[in-house]
Amino acid sequence: MIQAYQHIDILPLTVQQRYEIYSKMTVKQRDLLDDYRKYLLRSEFLQNSYLQASDWRFDDLKIDYHYPKETQNQLFCQCGRRLKFQYIIVSKVTGESLALGRQHFKDHLNIPAQVATEINRQINHVDLGIDELFTYIKAGIPFPNDIWQQYQYLLFQNHMQQTPLEVDLAFIKKVAAFSEADMPLYFTDMTSLNKKLNVLSDYLKGKKEVTDESAFDLFKEHFHQEIEREILFQQTAIWSEQIKQQMKKQGKPVKISDSYFLELYQLIQDNEKNASKLKTALNKFSHRGMGRWIQKEVYQHLYEQIIIYGLSEELFTQIHPFFREGLQIYVTYDKRGVEVEKTISKIESLLEELDTTEVSAVLDYFQMKKPIE
């Protein structure tokens, strides 16, 4: 896949070339491209503090991809000039908004000429970055689904580990968005995806692999929703601010006692069939003792998953590893207890079919056997 990128030269495109490519893109691809361009521009304005000394902030970008053709939804500058790119600037003081072309920042915002020149230079830099995507689309470079599927599988396996490796969630969100739109990745992102895949693969070598395909399918089904909430993928995100400060000061993680998980498990077991009671019980639990060490959003996430899955195997693929590792031992113990009770019931039924002499013979036989440890 990397080789396909290496034979493509990235050159600045004309307005007409951009429009021709844009017009053939899907709605999802257009939306992603427009949103990503706005994100890049906001980042430039914030990072370089172009408007910090003024009373204005960058708010939005509107694009007329039909420019210069006549359409119903044409864009104009404050001065009345028609625009292809319309920059919406909002007053920090009054909330007033201005619609400007890139050449009119100096005239309307009272900023030095050299700052206006630098803004235009950075806008051109953003345009070149967008031209890279346009060029890949024109060349037929696809989104790397095979590699992305491999990486998602490794993320699932990592999530199921007792101590998952920290992952770059911002990068995962970006690639997931490109996947949803079926948009080719930037060359640098493609390279990063390969590197991150290899790092995660090396980390998981020798560790237990979860082979349940249905569990992985469930993980993928909710993947986009969960990366937005971030709870499953940031291992330190569960802790309250007070505990985070404590860990930072002491330079080591805190330890939750077994009694915390036992009480939490019993609470869930007693209330899992009643959503209202479960929510109330979890809320009270989160406001006392060690329960306060965990952020309220994490309990909310746990509550939502219990309502969907109950105390089932599926639940433990959908909750934070912290809860999974702490609660699963009690679920396993209870299941064993149920199986023992079923076995005893079967033995009792069989014994009822025997006469007294035969029952005595069976009991004598088992008394002579070594006790089960």
Side-chain angles (χ1 to χ4, degrees):
M1 191 71 186
I2 292 289
Q3 289 76 9
Y5 285 83
Q6 294 172 341
H7 300 290
I8 299 175
D9 294 326
I10 307 300
L11 300 172
L13 301 177
T14 66
V15 171
Q16 183 61 31
Q17 287 173 323
R18 290 170 184 156
Y19 173 69
E20 288 175 357
I21 299 170
Y22 185 85
S23 65
K24 297 175 183 178
M25 291 166 58
T26 66
V27 173
K28 283 187 176 182
Q29 287 176 329
R30 292 180 186 183
D31 289 344
L32 174 66
L33 192 70
D34 293 345
D35 289 343
Y36 191 59
R37 195 176 196 284
K38 292 173 188 177
Y39 164 76
L40 291 176
L41 284 169
R42 284 195 183 97
S43 297
E44 288 291 348
F45 275 86
L46 287 172
Q47 182 178 343
N48 295 291
S49 304
Y50 292 133
L51 303 179
Q52 187 173 13
S54 75
D55 294 330
W56 301 89
R57 63 176 175 81
F58 173 77
D59 183 65
D60 199 3
L61 168 71
K62 296 181 180 180
I63 305 171
D64 180 1
Y65 279 99
H66 296 285
Y67 180 93
K69 293 181 180 180
E70 297 291 330
T71 64
Q72 291 183 340
N73 300 312
Q74 296 176 173
L75 303 175
F76 296 92
C77 180
Q78 291 293 121
C79 67
R81 180 185 175 188
R82 188 178 171 194
L83 302 170
K84 175 176 176 58
F85 298 107
Q86 185 188 66
Y87 299 87
I88 309 299
I89 311 297
V90 176
S91 169
K92 301 174 187 175
V93 179
T94 66
E96 174 192 3
S97 64
L98 293 178
L100 304 176
R102 65 169 67 182
Q103 303 303 327
H104 284 209
F105 285 110
K106 182 175 75 71
D107 299 334
H108 292 280
L109 304 184
N110 194 29
I111 58 177
Q114 64 268 28
V115 174
T117 300
E118 178 62 17
I119 289 175
N120 279 297
R121 191 183 74 81
Q122 291 300 332
I123 289 174
N124 288 333
H125 178 71
V126 169
D127 284 342
L128 183 59
I130 297 299
D131 284 348
E132 181 181 347
L133 290 179
F134 275 135
T135 302
Y136 293 152
I137 292 170
K138 184 179 180 181
I141 301 292
F143 177 84
N145 275 308
D146 289 347
I147 298 175
W148 180 233
Q149 289 291 323
Q150 293 175 43
Y151 190 59
Q152 279 187 297
Y153 182 74
L154 293 179
L155 287 173
F156 165 69
Q157 294 297 336
N158 184 56
H159 167 64
M160 296 303 292
Q161 299 303 314
Q162 184 173 358
T163 308
L165 181 69
E166 288 287 348
V167 295
D168 185 346
L169 192 57
F171 177 79
I172 292 171
K173 286 182 179 182
K174 180 180 179 181
V175 177
F178 276 58
S179 169
E180 283 284 280
D182 194 23
M183 180 80 83
L185 292 177
Y186 283 99
F187 176 73
T188 53
D189 290 336
M190 184 67 206
T191 304
S192 293
L193 180 59
N194 275 289
K195 288 181 179 178
K196 293 178 187 299
L197 186 148
N198 291 332
V199 167
L200 199 50
S201 179
D202 288 342
Y203 177 76
L204 293 169
K205 281 179 181 176
K207 292 182 170 59
K208 184 178 179 181
E209 182 178 4
V210 177
T211 57
D212 185 352
E213 290 186 9
S214 62
F216 177 50
D217 289 340
L218 196 60
F219 177 84
K220 285 196 298 181
E221 181 182 341
H222 299 284
F223 182 75
H224 290 275
Q225 175 186 347
E226 294 299 347
I227 60 174
E228 288 304 318
R229 297 181 67 165
E230 302 186 359
I231 289 173
L232 292 187
F233 296 94
Q234 290 189 340
Q235 306 314 314
T236 58
I238 64 169
W239 302 108
S240 67
E241 289 303 318
Q242 181 181 355
I243 296 301
K244 286 180 183 177
Q245 290 298 321
Q246 180 180 327
M247 289 192 292
K248 184 177 180 180
K249 185 177 179 180
Q250 296 178 350
K252 60 181 180 179
V254 297
K255 182 174 175 56
I256 291 275
S257 69
D258 292 340
S259 61
Y260 167 91
F261 291 109
L262 177 58
E263 184 180 355
L264 180 59
Y265 173 70
Q266 290 172 337
L267 178 158
I268 295 170
Q269 191 179 42
D270 292 342
N271 299 285
E272 65 170 312
K273 303 299 183 184
N274 188 312
S276 178
K277 287 185 177 180
L278 176 62
K279 191 167 189 175
T280 301
L282 278 173
N283 184 54
K284 290 180 179 179
F285 182 81
S286 71
H287 283 85
R288 67 173 187 269
M290 288 186 176
R292 293 175 296 181
W293 291 14
I294 308 300
Q295 290 195 41
K296 303 298 183 292
E297 294 83 356
V298 183
Y299 287 112
Q300 176 63 26
H301 181 265
L302 176 65
Y303 164 78
E304 291 170 5
Q305 303 311 308
I306 294 170
I307 295 303
I308 298 172
Y309 303 107
L311 280 169
S312 65
E313 289 298 326
E314 288 85 357
L315 174 69
F316 294 100
T317 67
Q318 299 301 307
I319 59 177
H320 194 282
F322 167 80
F323 284 135
R324 183 183 65 239
E325 296 301 318
L327 294 173
Q328 204 162 24
I329 184 173
Y330 298 106
V331 175
T332 303
Y333 180 82
D334 278 359
K335 283 184 177 178
R336 286 177 179 172
V338 170
E339 291 301 319
V340 169
E341 288 181 5
K342 288 181 179 178
T343 302
I344 291 173
S345 180
K346 289 180 182 178
I347 292 173
E348 288 176 341
S349 296
L350 290 171
L351 291 176
E352 288 176 359
E353 298 176 6
L354 304 176
D355 60 31
T356 305
T357 304
E358 290 171 326
V359 170
S360 297
V362 169
L363 294 177
D364 289 342
Y365 172 78
F366 279 107
Q367 285 178 352
M368 294 172 61
K369 303 290 287 184
K370 184 179 179 181
I372 299 175
E373 297 180 354

